[in-house]
């Protein structure tokens, strides 16, 4: 009897949710657009940062992030409403380069950089990224990150040192996810990492707004970014989220580690299984997903260095032998 009542209550709740969800559609065209173009798109929710671990390893870029006012966002444990995130992008329409509108739960909202800044709890200020001045980006990144990372083609994140690798994960998982592989360093990643390392504040609301606007204007299906941030924004805008079952996103927890000579123990990160198609995919088993590939990466780099040294040694031996033969023949001729 109790089981049947609980099942009836569950069905009644689902029916109420479905009825409430209908308030997101202005008409049949809006609903059809959602069902055909957005319902099955992946949403990148984001991750939480384990501050205790970063303090423990004396993560050198934590102070800059604290000064930028990013820590609250990086550690916010809010539920992510995937369904409403999809609605947000389904109903979004560009108004200008500085604004777009959307329709959620029976209300229209204008989204600007200031809206995003308020959700993040920071000011809409800082240096802007300009993709058309990319030579400056690479020049700046080269000074801060070092030339070696920029010489690798394609630019894989595994060439980065340990702390820079962690910084790249924070950038690509939380701050400005791109919807592409986490294993490759994009040019904007270089710029953002260089800004953080040098203590220069980038305009994060501006970066995020431009990303959202690109999704709004996109003519081809793409990953829907900023699930965590948009859920924070829904709370700030007092959006009724009762029609969507929120999901608590998992945290980026890094435990005591042993990567090369930097740490003691073993490096592990707890992640959800990454989205299909990511080249840097890590599967979680038993609640703990080990990033053994980072250790393997270091071994791989060491192996390459060893091979180069070995080849260099052979070349030097050959040159020495050639020189000796040349010297011998000269002596004989005299």
């Amino acid at each position: 009897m109790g089981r049947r009542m609980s099942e009836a209550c569950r069905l009644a709740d689902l029916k109420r949710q479905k009825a409430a969800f209908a308030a997101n559609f202005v008409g049949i065209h809006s609903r059809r657009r959602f069902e055909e173009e957005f319902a099955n798109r992946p949403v990148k929710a984001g991750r939480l940062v384990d501050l205790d671990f970063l303090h423990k390893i004396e993560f050198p870029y934590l102070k800059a992030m604290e000064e930028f006012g990013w820590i609250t966002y990086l550690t916010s444990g809010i539920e992510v409403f995937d369904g409403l995130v999809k609605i947000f992008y389904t109903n979004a329409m560009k108004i200008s380069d500085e604004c777009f509108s959307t329709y959620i739960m029976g209300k229209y909202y204008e989204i600007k950089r200031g809206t995003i800044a308020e959700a993040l709890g920071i000011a809409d200020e800082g240096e802007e990224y300009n993709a058309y001045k990319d030579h400056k980006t690479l020049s700046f990144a080269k000074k801060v990150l070092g030339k070696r990372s920029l010489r690798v083609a394609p630019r894989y994140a595994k060439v980065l040192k340990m702390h820079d690798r962690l910084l790249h994960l924070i950038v690509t998982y939380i701050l400005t996810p791109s919807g592409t592989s986490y294993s490759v360093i994009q040019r904007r990643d270089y710029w953002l990492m260089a800004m953080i390392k040098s203590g220069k504040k980038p305009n994060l609301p501006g970066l995020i707004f431009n990303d959202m606007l690109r999704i709004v204007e996109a003519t081809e299906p793409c990953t829907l970014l900023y699930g965590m941030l948009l859920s924070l924004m829904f709370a700030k805008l007092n959006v009724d989220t009762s029609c969507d079952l929120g999901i608590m996103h998992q945290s980026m927890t890094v435990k005591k580690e042993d990567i090369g000579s930097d740490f003691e123990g073993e490096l592990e990160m707890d992640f959800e299984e990454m989205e299909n198609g990511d080249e840097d995919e890590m599967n979680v088993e038993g609640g703990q997903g080990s990033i053994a590939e980072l250790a393997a990466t270091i071994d791989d780099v060491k192996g390459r260095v060893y091979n180069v040294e070995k080849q260099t040694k052979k070349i030097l031996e050959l040159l020495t032998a050639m020189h000796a033969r040349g010297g011998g023949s000269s002596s004989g001729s005299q």
Side-chain angles (χ1 to χ4, degrees):
M1 181 69 175
R3 185 180 299 176
R4 277 184 296 194
M5 287 185 64
S6 63
E7 180 65 16
C9 290
R10 188 184 71 83
L11 291 173
D13 287 341
L14 287 174
K15 189 174 180 180
R16 279 195 296 271
Q17 280 183 328
K18 188 174 181 181
F21 201 74
N24 290 299
F25 306 112
V26 179
I28 189 65
H29 174 74
S30 177
R31 178 182 286 277
R32 187 179 295 121
R33 176 174 160 81
F34 171 77
E35 293 173 350
E36 294 178 358
E37 300 180 32
F38 288 86
N40 295 320
R41 285 201 202 177
V43 172
K44 277 201 186 302
R47 298 291 187 270
L48 301 178
V49 170
D50 185 345
L51 285 182
D52 290 338
F53 172 75
L54 295 184
H55 282 298
K56 190 180 296 183
I57 66 169
E58 298 181 351
F59 187 58
Y61 316 128
L62 191 57
K63 183 179 178 182
M65 292 181 181
E66 289 172 345
E67 291 175 352
F68 298 162
W70 294 355
I71 298 301
T72 300
Y73 174 56
L74 292 174
T75 57
S76 59
I78 194 169
E79 292 179 309
V80 176
F81 299 97
D82 280 17
L84 288 177
V85 170
K86 294 175 181 180
I87 289 294
F88 175 89
Y89 285 113
T90 298
N91 295 331
M93 293 183 63
K94 180 180 177 179
I95 297 174
S96 69
D97 289 341
E98 301 295 329
C99 178
F100 65 90
S101 67
T102 190
Y103 181 84
I104 310 172
M105 294 301 291
K107 294 183 180 179
Y108 283 98
Y109 298 93
E110 285 193 356
I111 308 300
K112 302 178 181 179
R113 289 158 56 126
T115 317
I116 295 168
E118 186 177 352
L120 290 169
I122 61 176
D124 177 19
E125 61 184 18
E127 294 200 31
E128 303 279 352
Y129 173 71
N130 190 335
Y132 298 104
K133 296 180 180 179
D134 214 40
H135 61 285
K136 290 187 177 181
T137 296
L138 291 180
S139 176
F140 182 37
K142 200 177 287 187
K143 291 178 183 177
V144 182
L145 294 172
K147 295 181 180 180
R148 186 186 183 287
S149 297
L150 300 179
R151 286 203 305 268
V152 177
R155 295 173 292 277
Y156 289 112
K158 64 184 181 181
V159 305
L160 297 173
K161 294 180 180 179
M162 186 59 224
H163 284 133
D164 290 348
R165 174 65 167 138
L166 290 174
L167 178 60
H168 182 256
L169 286 171
I170 291 171
V171 165
T172 54
Y173 267 100
I174 309 170
L175 294 175
T176 55
S178 64
T180 58
S181 173
Y182 298 99
S183 63
V184 177
I185 312 174
Q186 307 295 332
R187 292 194 171 215
R188 192 179 69 176
D189 298 341
Y190 273 126
W191 178 82
L192 187 53
M193 291 170 66
M195 293 292 289
I196 295 169
K197 288 188 67 168
S198 64
K200 295 182 179 180
K201 185 177 182 180
N203 190 312
L204 187 59
L207 288 170
I208 293 172
F209 176 83
N210 290 335
D211 283 346
M212 289 183 178
L213 192 59
R214 274 193 290 273
I215 296 173
V216 172
E217 293 183 291
T219 56
E220 296 292 330
C222 58
T223 300
L224 306 178
L225 306 177
Y226 300 109
M228 181 170 71
L229 173 60
L230 286 174
S231 297
L232 282 169
M233 190 186 298
F234 297 155
K236 293 281 186 180
L237 297 173
N238 295 316
V239 174
D240 179 9
T241 57
S242 61
C243 68
D244 191 359
L245 291 176
I247 302 171
M248 291 298 291
H249 58 291
Q250 295 190 6
S251 62
M252 180 187 287
T253 16
V254 190
K255 301 175 182 175
K256 199 174 181 182
E257 21 240 285
D258 182 16
I259 299 295
S261 58
D262 289 338
F263 306 105
E264 297 178 357
E266 182 179 7
L267 176 65
E268 293 180 345
M269 283 187 173
D270 292 338
F271 283 162
E272 291 179 2
E273 183 176 343
M274 292 186 184
E275 289 81 356
N276 293 332
D278 285 340
E279 296 175 13
D280 207 16
E281 182 170 309
M282 291 167 279
N283 295 324
V284 174
E285 295 181 4
Q288 291 186 342
S290 173
I291 306 189
E293 72 156 3
L294 290 179
T297 293
I298 291 178
D299 290 338
D300 179 54
V301 171
K302 287 180 178 177
R304 293 183 189 183
V305 171
Y306 173 77
N307 289 334
V308 170
E309 290 175 346
K310 193 174 179 181
Q311 291 172 7
T312 303
K313 187 177 179 181
K314 284 183 178 180
I315 292 170
L316 288 173
E317 288 173 354
L318 286 170
L319 289 173
T320 302
M322 290 172 64
H323 179 72
R325 284 197 298 271
S329 59
S330 297
S331 300
S333 63
Q334 289 176 354

